[in-house]
Amino acid sequence: MEKKRKWLISLFFSLFFLLLCGIGSLVTGPAGFLFFPSDQYERAILLNIRLPRVLLGFAAGGSLSLSGLLLQGIFRNPLVEPYTLGISGGAALFVALSIVARLDEIFGQFAISVAGFAGSLLVILTILTLSSKRHLKKEELLLSGVMISFISSSFVMLCFSLLKSEDVHRIIFWMMGTLQEEKKEFILFLSFLSLLSLFVSQFFSLHLNALQLGEEEAAHLGIDVFRVKRFLLFMSSILTGVTVSITGIVGFVGLLIPHLMRLLFGSDYRFLLFSSFLFGSSFLIVCDTLSRTLIKPAELPVGVITGIVGGSLFLFLLLRRK
Amino acid sequence: MAKLVQLMNVSCGYGKKIVLRNVSISIEEGEIVGVIGPNGSGKTTLLRAISGILRPKVGSILFGGKNLSKIPHTELAKKIAVVSQEGPHDLNMRVMDYVLLGRIPYMGPFTFFEKDEDIKIAMDCLGIMGILHLKDELVSNLSGGERQLAVISRALVQNPTLLLLDEPTSHLDIAHKVKILNILKKLNRERGLTQIVVFHDLNLASEFCGRLILLSEGEVVCDGTPNQVLTFQNLENVYRTMVIVKENPISSRPYVFPVFEEWMKR
């Protein structure tokens, strides 16, 4: 069948592209190109420094991009991205508070991630409670998220105004996001969670296709819109929350990649789900490679690269099409 | 003729607002029923209640003898298809893919791609509506008339026994109006497809339907043949506008002429 063949070709193309980016990122780094590790030292760089970063880039890029795509589908709004609902804001606030309380000095660096997750979880629970009210319109839910975002960022500003400049610096660095992560367990967990979500989301691809017609039309096609929306909202929020608490706020991936994929593959979610995930992964891996090599031995924040590279690429493609 | 839809003392609305009041009607298999009435009289709400989207607050609705709210969503989607007032305006999707969305109720949770059978049914329906040549166009590039034909095709691939249409021809030119109504009539004749159609245009309703239901402020004012319903007394009562009803010379159905102020003096 024609569509099946097109699907398989697209899948292989996306996987191949990801593989290319992954290998490319693995062999490049501040220590120079390493194709075949000749000694233990080089092998350690490949396996213990670069590989975890590539893997985290894969998981975080895929998660953010998938989450953005799902949220855009649920809200039928092209401007929604994983952070719109205030999940990142909640995380940032708790991270700021944990730095104020010196939790990381008492419990170690991972306390920051735990605090970030606690913050995002609080927002997720609020959003889910709101979304279980049937009479709440989706625009109102979206606005509530935006408000949560504003409130938490105001509190973060308040922290800034009260803190010493070195603490402010640490909060800002967390907020800009990085794929540097000491705990391998976190990376493996996020990889597992993101792949699981990708798998589960496949079962909703037809629902998401139908939702493009509007909620009432989707209901006419036999879809329990309320439950489907609530589940997908839950899944994408958890995905965003876990990602943010591990990597910080890596911006733009979740907005940019789903739109790029729409330009590339059209509006069929059977194609959009996996391609958004895989290209999101590839994109973040490439951006991270740039961030750690451009001004070596120093590093640029990866969120800056995703914004500049991704934004320009998107503008170029959008305007060229017209 | 078996009863397909039965509304028994149905009241429903949104939140605290009651839109339909104590409506009892029954619709037989193979009927074409027109629903008419002023803006806000509850026509669309009636369709939403029959489609199962809106649960009645009071009373019950039977579909094929079963309680409508007890029938699972996907089962219902195989029996009832809806052509809503709002069409798909800026849908960046090929007509064929759009029409295939109507096969979703027939695709199980583990079916990922449409089967050849689904595609064949979609082609058939596009053929019936006369837009098979447009199957690879984007929906957003279609004209208003073509788009409405695509919407009806999507409803037909659901293979419904009941088709609900909410003002299916209101924004179209006269050629598309006639074309669409002709096709719908043919579907009724050849396949026995039962249709409930909301009309604003009383004269189209009169021509197209064997039976009309006149709604006013959420209540059924009159239910019967066009000749029984479209009388100037009924219409002036409900619409509060002066009209004259004459016989259409071609079909001998009633034809409604509005009377404008400048002619009232004479």
Side-chain angles (χ1 to χ4, degrees):
Chain A
M1 243 171 60
E2 187 199 351
K3 195 175 274 170
K4 213 174 212 163
R5 212 176 60 224
K6 200 180 146 204
W7 190 82
L8 279 174
I9 292 171
S10 315
L11 180 62
F12 276 118
F13 173 63
S14 310
L15 278 172
F16 181 71
F17 189 72
L18 173 64
L19 200 69
L20 221 60
C21 295
I23 292 174
S25 174
L26 214 53
V27 300
T28 38
F33 291 100
L34 289 176
F35 282 98
F36 302 102
S38 49
D39 54 30
Q40 219 172 356
Y41 191 68
E42 287 185 355
R43 199 151 61 216
I45 291 181
L46 267 186
L47 293 182
N48 295 339
I49 298 177
R50 288 184 191 170
L51 186 62
R53 276 188 89 131
V54 172
L55 194 58
L56 184 57
F58 163 78
S63 301
L64 290 175
S65 177
L66 179 65
S67 163
L69 177 73
L70 290 175
L71 289 171
Q72 286 165 14
I74 298 168
F75 288 106
R76 290 202 295 135
N77 183 331
L79 294 177
V80 179
E81 52 136 0
Y83 304 145
T84 311
L85 290 174
I87 295 168
S88 58
L93 177 58
F94 271 54
V95 164
L97 291 177
S98 72
I99 287 175
V100 175
R102 311 248 164 257
L103 287 183
D104 51 327
E105 285 165 22
I106 305 167
F107 299 106
Q109 188 61 35
F110 84 99
I112 302 273
S113 296
V114 174
F117 187 65
S120 49
L121 201 61
L122 193 70
V123 177
I124 291 169
L125 290 177
T126 315
I127 295 285
L128 288 179
T129 320
L130 286 177
S131 76
S132 61
K133 296 192 196 310
R134 270 176 196 269
H135 60 85
L136 201 71
K137 291 200 192 80
K138 64 182 200 302
E139 289 81 8
E140 292 170 326
L141 181 60
L142 208 52
L143 268 177
S144 316
V146 174
M147 289 307 140
I148 294 174
S149 254
F150 274 123
I151 295 170
S152 35
S153 71
S154 305
F155 273 113
V156 172
M157 291 294 168
L158 182 67
C159 290
F160 283 176
S161 67
L162 299 175
L163 284 173
K164 283 185 297 186
S165 68
E166 58 182 87
D167 287 336
V168 172
H169 223 85
R170 287 173 57 204
I171 299 173
I172 290 180
F173 252 88
W174 180 86
M175 284 171 65
M176 286 193 293
T178 172
L179 295 185
Q180 184 64 47
E181 174 59 50
E182 306 296 328
K183 280 233 177 279
K184 305 278 185 296
E185 294 84 354
F186 284 175
I187 300 178
L188 288 175
F189 175 66
L190 182 61
S191 309
F192 169 74
L193 187 73
S194 59
L195 284 172
L196 180 71
S197 307
L198 176 62
F199 177 73
V200 173
S201 70
Q202 297 298 319
F203 293 98
F204 291 94
S205 41
L206 291 175
H207 299 76
L208 285 161
N209 278 349
L211 266 175
Q212 295 180 70
L213 303 178
E215 295 189 6
E216 195 155 323
E217 297 285 324
H220 289 320
L221 292 173
I223 290 164
D224 190 339
V225 176
F226 182 72
R227 280 171 60 185
V228 165
K229 269 173 52 186
R230 204 173 44 173
F231 177 76
L232 291 178
L233 185 64
F234 168 76
M235 194 166 83
S236 51
S237 323
I238 290 289
L239 214 49
T240 310
V242 174
T243 309
V244 164
S245 52
I246 294 175
T247 63
I249 306 174
V250 178
F252 230 70
V253 183
L255 182 67
L256 171 80
I257 300 295
H259 282 295
L260 272 183
M261 292 306 111
R262 287 199 178 88
L263 288 180
L264 215 59
F265 293 105
S267 57
D268 190 338
Y269 276 82
R270 284 172 292 196
F271 291 80
L272 287 174
L273 287 166
F274 75 78
S275 64
S276 291
F277 187 98
L278 296 175
F279 276 94
S281 298
S282 314
F283 175 69
L284 195 55
I285 289 173
V286 169
C287 286
D288 184 54
T289 315
L290 291 176
S291 90
R292 62 197 159 87
T293 51
L294 275 183
I295 54 162
K296 66 184 177 183
E299 265 190 36
L300 285 167
V302 68
V304 173
I305 309 267
T306 53
I308 296 173
V309 174
S312 332
L313 180 70
F314 186 70
L315 267 184
F316 170 72
L317 287 173
L318 193 71
L319 298 178
R320 201 193 55 159
R321 209 174 59 129
K322 291 280 145 70
Chain B
M1 280 286 170
K3 286 195 171 86
L4 188 63
V5 185
Q6 264 181 293
L7 281 80
M8 292 176 297
N9 302 318
V10 171
S11 294
C12 59
Y14 313 96
K16 282 190 181 130
K17 199 176 151 211
I18 301 288
V19 180
L20 280 185
R21 270 192 205 89
N22 205 17
V23 171
S24 298
I25 40 180
S26 72
I27 286 153
E28 315 262 307
E29 267 173 36
E31 266 192 304
I32 295 185
V33 179
V35 182
I36 53 174
N39 288 330
S41 59
K43 303 186 293 294
T44 301
T45 306
L46 179 66
L47 282 199
R48 297 176 91 192
I50 296 173
S51 72
I53 291 282
L54 195 65
R55 294 259 173 98
K57 289 187 194 298
V58 186
S60 58
I61 302 176
L62 299 185
F63 179 79
K66 282 188 216 145
N67 193 331
L68 189 71
S69 51
K70 298 265 160 56
I71 304 175
H73 292 277
T74 32
E75 285 311 305
L76 211 54
K78 294 178 193 171
K79 306 248 168 62
I80 303 179
V82 184
V83 174
S84 308
Q85 218 166 352
E86 291 278 319
H89 291 298
D90 47 357
L91 207 56
N92 191 21
M93 196 185 276
R94 288 188 320 145
V95 171
M96 187 64 182
D97 291 324
Y98 170 72
V99 170
L100 278 171
L101 289 178
R103 294 303 292 173
I104 286 179
Y106 293 90
M107 296 168 74
F110 300 103
T111 329
F112 200 57
F113 292 106
E114 294 87 3
K115 297 190 188 67
D116 288 340
E117 186 202 347
D118 296 315
I119 292 173
K120 190 183 165 296
I121 291 172
M123 301 272 258
D124 284 349
C125 293
L126 284 169
I128 290 171
M129 300 313 291
I131 49 166
L132 191 55
H133 60 288
L134 296 174
K135 72 181 167 66
D136 293 321
E137 283 288 325
L138 287 181
V139 174
S140 50
N141 290 348
L142 299 183
S143 73
E146 292 166 340
R147 195 173 299 151
Q148 192 64 353
L149 290 166
V151 176
I152 299 173
S153 308
R154 201 220 64 219
L156 288 183
V157 299
Q158 284 175 252
N159 204 9
T161 41
L162 173 64
L163 186 59
L164 305 175
L165 302 113
D166 196 349
E167 297 187 41
T169 59
S170 52
H171 302 296
L172 306 182
D173 63 45
I174 191 165
H176 275 106
K177 273 186 187 164
V178 171
K179 183 177 181 189
I180 285 180
L181 294 181
N182 274 337
I183 298 171
L184 289 173
K185 200 108 201 185
K186 198 172 158 204
L187 286 166
N188 174 260
R189 226 174 23 238
E190 292 176 359
R191 303 185 175 188
L193 180 62
T194 313
Q195 297 167 28
I196 303 176
V197 195
V198 167
F199 276 108
H200 255 310
D201 187 326
L202 300 173
N203 297 319
L204 278 184
S206 168
E207 288 300 310
F208 183 66
C209 307
R211 174 182 165 196
L212 291 179
I213 293 172
L214 177 60
L215 289 178
S216 175
E217 291 169 8
E219 289 178 59
V220 178
V221 176
C222 194
D223 178 352
T225 63
N227 274 318
Q228 291 164 333
V229 176
L230 294 176
T231 61
F232 78 92
Q233 293 98 330
N234 277 341
L235 295 175
E236 288 183 357
N237 269 338
V238 170
Y239 288 92
R240 312 240 167 256
T241 304
M242 191 188 268
V243 296
I244 289 174
V245 181
K246 297 261 187 195
E247 189 177 276
N248 182 329
I250 302 161
S251 63
S252 8
R253 298 271 177 115
Y255 199 96
V256 181
F257 298 91
V259 182
F260 291 94
E261 229 167 47
E262 57 180 305
W263 304 106
M264 282 184 204
K265 297 169 217 147
R266 303 188 185 191

